[in-house]
Amino acid sequence: MEKTDKKTDILRAAEMLFSEFGFEGTSTRQIAKESGANMAMINYYFGSKEGVFLEIMEARISGHKSTLKEISELQVSPVEKLMKVIDQYTRKIFSNVCFHRMMQRELSLGQRPEIYSKIKDAIRENRLVIEEIFADGVKDGSFKAIDGRMLIATIFGAITSVSSQPDKVIDDPNFDIENDKQREELRQRLSSFLQHLVQSYIIIPNK
């Protein structure tokens, strides 16, 4: 039990440090100190700092993929499924904005091939689930036959942009994305806007 708990402690501490300082700015020594573990434990469980990051990322990817699959299998209309996807995705990103920023940096830099491939593969797999929802909506006459992939990119891009740079939509200089109440208010505002935007663009009237 102690080993399992200590592994969890390492992952929790590492995610906090990665979120705050980035991958390059975090050392295994810092992770060990913050988690109360030693260097040998980190090497035993994960092999390296990159191994720690990969496990954190894979857990997040797996959780998101599972949620998308659950939504896709719901016995509700494609419209309802798509609205749930938008709300769930905003929740995922806003639950740890700093970590999402770091993942975006990994994508833009491409310095670590294994991490880069994992992120790209996850994005592709998640996109395919959403594209199936679009296809079902077009098939049953709920959705217009639009460029679904471009719309997905627009949705994800807006969420990334607003979560990373809230000042694009908020003038308050005292806004703090780390404040739970303020962050949730922004998330709800963004989710509501995107849902209304998507509905007005793709839904065929009277369906």
Side-chain angles (χ1 to χ4, degrees):
M1 179 64 71
E2 182 180 345
K3 288 186 177 180
T4 301
D5 289 343
K6 187 53 64 178
K7 182 177 181 180
T8 300
D9 289 343
I10 292 170
L11 290 170
R12 186 180 297 116
E15 182 165 358
M16 180 189 70
L17 290 166
F18 285 145
S19 297
E20 184 173 357
F21 302 110
F23 184 88
E24 299 294 352
T26 299
S27 68
T28 50
R29 190 174 300 279
Q30 286 175 297
I31 295 171
K33 180 179 179 181
E34 188 67 33
S35 65
N38 55 48
M39 302 286 284
M41 283 184 178
I42 294 175
N43 290 330
Y44 173 75
Y45 286 124
F46 309 103
S48 65
K49 181 176 70 170
E50 187 167 294
V52 179
F53 181 76
L54 278 169
E55 182 141 345
I56 294 169
M57 189 183 66
E58 286 175 350
R60 284 181 162 271
I61 289 171
S62 176
H64 186 50
K65 182 178 179 181
S66 176
T67 301
L68 281 179
K69 184 174 175 57
E70 289 174 7
I71 292 174
S72 71
E73 294 175 350
L74 290 173
Q75 297 303 306
V76 298
S77 70
V79 175
E80 292 175 279
K81 289 181 182 179
L82 187 54
M83 298 306 103
K84 288 180 180 295
V85 166
I86 291 172
D87 193 64
Q88 190 276 336
Y89 198 79
T90 61
R91 290 181 187 279
K92 171 181 177 288
I93 301 306
F94 276 71
S95 67
N96 193 330
V97 174
C98 292
F99 192 82
H100 180 66
R101 287 174 185 161
M102 187 178 64
M103 289 183 69
Q104 289 300 312
R105 285 199 299 271
E106 289 298 319
L107 277 177
S108 65
L109 296 174
Q111 295 176 330
R112 284 164 280 277
E114 186 176 3
I115 292 176
Y116 179 85
S117 295
K118 290 279 187 182
I119 297 174
K120 293 290 287 186
D121 288 346
I123 290 173
R124 182 184 60 80
E125 290 176 9
N126 291 341
R127 188 190 67 228
L128 290 175
V129 173
I130 303 171
E131 286 179 349
E132 288 180 8
I133 295 174
F134 275 126
D136 289 343
V138 172
K139 185 177 180 180
D140 75 5
S142 299
F143 296 165
K144 301 172 186 175
I146 52 89
D147 188 332
R149 188 165 292 185
M150 287 296 289
L151 186 60
I152 292 171
T154 299
I155 293 169
F156 289 178
I159 296 172
T160 295
S161 178
V162 172
S163 63
S164 299
Q165 296 179 286
D167 58 337
K168 287 183 176 180
V169 296
I170 294 179
D171 292 328
D172 183 0
N174 296 315
F175 177 82
D176 181 6
I177 194 69
E178 297 301 322
N179 180 286
D180 291 345
K181 183 175 183 295
Q182 292 180 346
R183 183 176 63 251
E184 177 58 16
E185 287 175 351
L186 177 59
R187 188 204 68 77
Q188 290 181 11
R189 177 184 167 194
L190 176 60
S191 178
S192 177
F193 172 79
L194 288 174
Q195 290 180 53
H196 282 99
L197 178 69
V198 169
Q199 288 183 56
S200 66
Y201 181 59
I202 70 170
I203 293 180
I204 296 176
N206 302 319
K207 287 299 292 184

